PDB file of all heavy atoms in Angstrom:
ATOM      1  N   ILE A 380      -0.036 -89.776  43.760  1.00 97.00           N
ATOM      2  CA  ILE A 380       0.431 -89.530  45.131  1.00 97.00           C
ATOM      3  C   ILE A 380       1.897 -89.125  45.069  1.00 97.00           C
ATOM      4  O   ILE A 380       2.630 -89.579  44.175  1.00 97.00           O
ATOM      5  CB  ILE A 380       0.235 -90.788  46.010  1.00 97.00           C
ATOM      6  CG1 ILE A 380       0.479 -90.492  47.498  1.00 97.00           C
ATOM      7  CG2 ILE A 380       1.146 -91.946  45.571  1.00 97.00           C
ATOM      8  CD1 ILE A 380      -0.014 -91.594  48.449  1.00 97.00           C
ATOM      9  N   ARG A 382       4.989 -88.965  47.901  1.00 95.00           N
ATOM     10  CA  ARG A 382       5.328 -89.186  49.314  1.00 95.00           C
ATOM     11  C   ARG A 382       6.593 -88.390  49.653  1.00 95.00           C
ATOM     12  O   ARG A 382       7.707 -88.852  49.460  1.00 95.00           O
ATOM     13  CB  ARG A 382       5.546 -90.685  49.579  1.00 95.00           C
ATOM     14  CG  ARG A 382       4.305 -91.522  49.320  1.00 95.00           C
ATOM     15  CD  ARG A 382       4.475 -92.987  49.631  1.00 95.00           C
ATOM     16  NE  ARG A 382       3.286 -93.738  49.278  1.00 95.00           N
ATOM     17  CZ  ARG A 382       3.097 -94.351  48.113  1.00 95.00           C
ATOM     18  NH1 ARG A 382       4.030 -94.310  47.175  1.00 95.00           N
ATOM     19  NH2 ARG A 382       1.973 -94.991  47.862  1.00 95.00           N
ATOM     20  N   SER A 428     -10.155 -92.214  49.814  1.00 98.00           N
ATOM     21  CA  SER A 428      -9.034 -92.968  50.396  1.00 98.00           C
ATOM     22  C   SER A 428      -9.236 -93.030  51.904  1.00 98.00           C
ATOM     23  O   SER A 428     -10.027 -92.259  52.461  1.00 98.00           O
ATOM     24  CB  SER A 428      -7.738 -92.222  50.076  1.00 98.00           C
ATOM     25  OG  SER A 428      -6.679 -92.631  50.912  1.00 98.00           O
ATOM     26  N   MET A 429      -8.476 -93.888  52.564  1.00 97.00           N
ATOM     27  CA  MET A 429      -8.431 -93.799  54.032  1.00 97.00           C
ATOM     28  C   MET A 429      -7.859 -92.448  54.436  1.00 97.00           C
ATOM     29  O   MET A 429      -8.115 -91.940  55.518  1.00 97.00           O
ATOM     30  CB  MET A 429      -7.564 -94.916  54.595  1.00 97.00           C
ATOM     31  CG  MET A 429      -8.160 -96.277  54.352  1.00 97.00           C
ATOM     32  SD  MET A 429      -7.332 -97.528  55.301  1.00 97.00           S
ATOM     33  CE  MET A 429      -5.672 -97.315  54.760  1.00 97.00           C
ATOM     34  N   MET A 430      -7.049 -91.880  53.520  1.00 97.00           N
ATOM     35  CA  MET A 430      -6.464 -90.556  53.770  1.00 97.00           C
ATOM     36  C   MET A 430      -7.522 -89.454  53.651  1.00 97.00           C
ATOM     37  O   MET A 430      -7.211 -88.283  53.783  1.00 97.00           O
ATOM     38  CB  MET A 430      -5.315 -90.277  52.799  1.00 97.00           C
ATOM     39  CG  MET A 430      -4.185 -91.288  52.868  1.00 97.00           C
ATOM     40  SD  MET A 430      -3.350 -91.351  54.451  1.00 97.00           S
ATOM     41  CE  MET A 430      -3.326 -93.095  54.760  1.00 97.00           C
ATOM     42  N   ARG A 435      -0.988 -89.129  57.438  1.00 91.00           N
ATOM     43  CA  ARG A 435       0.163 -90.022  57.616  1.00 91.00           C
ATOM     44  C   ARG A 435       1.384 -89.227  57.179  1.00 91.00           C
ATOM     45  O   ARG A 435       1.282 -88.401  56.263  1.00 91.00           O
ATOM     46  CB  ARG A 435      -0.019 -91.250  56.706  1.00 91.00           C
ATOM     47  CG  ARG A 435       1.144 -92.216  56.746  1.00 91.00           C
ATOM     48  CD  ARG A 435       0.836 -93.484  55.979  1.00 91.00           C
ATOM     49  NE  ARG A 435       1.365 -93.539  54.629  1.00 91.00           N
ATOM     50  CZ  ARG A 435       2.656 -93.618  54.315  1.00 91.00           C
ATOM     51  NH1 ARG A 435       3.578 -93.580  55.243  1.00 91.00           N
ATOM     52  NH2 ARG A 435       3.033 -93.700  53.061  1.00 91.00           N
ATOM     53  N   VAL A 438       2.392 -87.766  53.242  1.00 97.00           N
ATOM     54  CA  VAL A 438       1.338 -87.722  52.217  1.00 97.00           C
ATOM     55  C   VAL A 438       0.406 -86.508  52.386  1.00 97.00           C
ATOM     56  O   VAL A 438      -0.788 -86.591  52.121  1.00 97.00           O
ATOM     57  CB  VAL A 438       0.537 -89.056  52.133  1.00 97.00           C
ATOM     58  CG1 VAL A 438       1.436 -90.203  51.737  1.00 97.00           C
ATOM     59  CG2 VAL A 438      -0.190 -89.384  53.439  1.00 97.00           C
ATOM     60  N   TYR A 441      -1.684 -85.490  49.246  1.00 98.00           N
ATOM     61  CA  TYR A 441      -2.660 -86.541  48.930  1.00 98.00           C
ATOM     62  C   TYR A 441      -3.811 -86.524  49.937  1.00 98.00           C
ATOM     63  O   TYR A 441      -4.993 -86.571  49.568  1.00 98.00           O
ATOM     64  CB  TYR A 441      -1.937 -87.887  48.945  1.00 98.00           C
ATOM     65  CG  TYR A 441      -2.737 -89.083  48.504  1.00 98.00           C
ATOM     66  CD1 TYR A 441      -2.930 -89.360  47.149  1.00 98.00           C
ATOM     67  CD2 TYR A 441      -3.282 -89.971  49.433  1.00 98.00           C
ATOM     68  CE1 TYR A 441      -3.639 -90.486  46.740  1.00 98.00           C
ATOM     69  CE2 TYR A 441      -3.992 -91.094  49.030  1.00 98.00           C
ATOM     70  CZ  TYR A 441      -4.176 -91.351  47.681  1.00 98.00           C
ATOM     71  OH  TYR A 441      -4.876 -92.468  47.282  1.00 98.00           O
ATOM     72  N   PRO A 471     -10.731 -96.843  49.332  1.00 98.00           N
ATOM     73  CA  PRO A 471      -9.995 -98.110  49.383  1.00 98.00           C
ATOM     74  C   PRO A 471      -8.981 -98.084  50.525  1.00 98.00           C
ATOM     75  O   PRO A 471      -8.446 -97.033  50.878  1.00 98.00           O
ATOM     76  CB  PRO A 471      -9.272 -98.161  48.024  1.00 98.00           C
ATOM     77  CG  PRO A 471      -9.935 -97.126  47.172  1.00 98.00           C
ATOM     78  CD  PRO A 471     -10.435 -96.076  48.110  1.00 98.00           C
ATOM     79  N   GLY A 472      -8.724 -99.242  51.089  1.00 97.00           N
ATOM     80  CA  GLY A 472      -7.616 -99.375  52.038  1.00 97.00           C
ATOM     81  C   GLY A 472      -6.338 -99.517  51.243  1.00 97.00           C
ATOM     82  O   GLY A 472      -6.132 -98.815  50.259  1.00 97.00           O
ATOM     83  N   TYR A 473      -5.484-100.427  51.638  1.00 96.00           N
ATOM     84  CA  TYR A 473      -4.224-100.611  50.908  1.00 96.00           C
ATOM     85  C   TYR A 473      -4.400-101.703  49.865  1.00 96.00           C
ATOM     86  O   TYR A 473      -4.648-102.854  50.191  1.00 96.00           O
ATOM     87  CB  TYR A 473      -3.093-100.896  51.892  1.00 96.00           C
ATOM     88  CG  TYR A 473      -2.769 -99.643  52.678  1.00 96.00           C
ATOM     89  CD1 TYR A 473      -3.168 -99.478  53.991  1.00 96.00           C
ATOM     90  CD2 TYR A 473      -2.106 -98.590  52.045  1.00 96.00           C
ATOM     91  CE1 TYR A 473      -2.903 -98.302  54.677  1.00 96.00           C
ATOM     92  CE2 TYR A 473      -1.834 -97.414  52.726  1.00 96.00           C
ATOM     93  CZ  TYR A 473      -2.229 -97.271  54.030  1.00 96.00           C
ATOM     94  OH  TYR A 473      -1.968 -96.094  54.695  1.00 96.00           O
ATOM     95  N   GLN A 478       0.349 -97.817  42.328  1.00 93.00           N
ATOM     96  CA  GLN A 478       0.499 -96.710  43.282  1.00 93.00           C
ATOM     97  C   GLN A 478       1.168 -97.159  44.587  1.00 93.00           C
ATOM     98  O   GLN A 478       1.917 -96.405  45.202  1.00 93.00           O
ATOM     99  CB  GLN A 478      -0.872 -96.087  43.608  1.00 93.00           C
ATOM    100  CG  GLN A 478      -0.753 -94.819  44.429  1.00 93.00           C
ATOM    101  CD  GLN A 478      -2.099 -94.294  44.920  1.00 93.00           C
ATOM    102  OE1 GLN A 478      -2.618 -94.724  45.933  1.00 93.00           O
ATOM    103  NE2 GLN A 478      -2.653 -93.356  44.177  1.00 93.00           N
ATOM    104  N   THR A 479       0.881 -98.379  45.020  1.00 94.00           N
ATOM    105  CA  THR A 479       1.440 -98.850  46.286  1.00 94.00           C
ATOM    106  C   THR A 479       2.695 -99.707  46.076  1.00 94.00           C
ATOM    107  O   THR A 479       3.271-100.200  47.050  1.00 94.00           O
ATOM    108  CB  THR A 479       0.387 -99.669  47.083  1.00 94.00           C
ATOM    109  OG1 THR A 479      -0.130-100.696  46.228  1.00 94.00           O
ATOM    110  CG2 THR A 479      -0.740 -98.807  47.579  1.00 94.00           C
ATOM    111  N   ILE A 482       5.770 -99.204  48.349  1.00 89.00           N
ATOM    112  CA  ILE A 482       5.670 -99.459  49.798  1.00 89.00           C
ATOM    113  C   ILE A 482       5.220-100.885  50.100  1.00 89.00           C
ATOM    114  O   ILE A 482       4.919-101.230  51.232  1.00 89.00           O
ATOM    115  CB  ILE A 482       4.711 -98.454  50.487  1.00 89.00           C
ATOM    116  CG1 ILE A 482       3.320 -98.461  49.832  1.00 89.00           C
ATOM    117  CG2 ILE A 482       5.289 -97.057  50.486  1.00 89.00           C
ATOM    118  CD1 ILE A 482       2.288 -97.607  50.554  1.00 89.00           C
ATOM    119  N   PHE A 489       6.391-100.673  55.695  1.00 88.00           N
ATOM    120  CA  PHE A 489       4.981-100.380  55.434  1.00 88.00           C
ATOM    121  C   PHE A 489       4.196-101.657  55.146  1.00 88.00           C
ATOM    122  O   PHE A 489       3.044-101.802  55.560  1.00 88.00           O
ATOM    123  CB  PHE A 489       4.846 -99.402  54.260  1.00 88.00           C
ATOM    124  CG  PHE A 489       3.574 -98.633  54.335  1.00 88.00           C
ATOM    125  CD1 PHE A 489       3.517 -97.465  55.085  1.00 88.00           C
ATOM    126  CD2 PHE A 489       2.424 -99.079  53.719  1.00 88.00           C
ATOM    127  CE1 PHE A 489       2.329 -96.758  55.206  1.00 88.00           C
ATOM    128  CE2 PHE A 489       1.241 -98.381  53.829  1.00 88.00           C
ATOM    129  CZ  PHE A 489       1.190 -97.215  54.577  1.00 88.00           C
TER     130      PHE A 489
HETATM  131  C1  LIG B 700       0.235 -94.340  51.350  1.00 50.26           C
HETATM  132  C2  LIG B 700      -0.633 -95.067  50.378  1.00 50.26           C
HETATM  133  C3  LIG B 700      -2.050 -94.615  50.497  1.00 50.26           C
HETATM  134  C4  LIG B 700      -2.958 -95.487  49.701  1.00 50.26           C
HETATM  135  C5  LIG B 700      -4.409 -95.238  49.905  1.00 50.26           C
HETATM  136  C6  LIG B 700      -4.861 -95.451  51.320  1.00 50.26           C
HETATM  137  O1  LIG B 700       1.326 -93.991  51.021  1.00 50.26           O
HETATM  138  O2  LIG B 700      -0.231 -94.187  52.510  1.00 50.26           O
HETATM  139  O3  LIG B 700      -0.194 -95.008  49.082  1.00 50.26           O
HETATM  140  O4  LIG B 700      -2.189 -93.274  50.367  1.00 50.26           O
HETATM  141  O5  LIG B 700      -2.648 -95.471  48.348  1.00 50.26           O
HETATM  142  O6  LIG B 700      -4.831 -94.025  49.373  1.00 50.26           O
HETATM  143  O7  LIG B 700      -6.266 -95.430  51.359  1.00 50.26           O
END
Side-chain angles (χ1 to χ4, degrees):
I380 190 166
R382 298 183 184 93
S428 162
M429 294 192 303
M430 301 298 132
R435 177 173 98 68
V438 298
Y441 186 80
Y473 289 104
Q478 188 188 84
T479 53
I482 55 174
F489 205 86

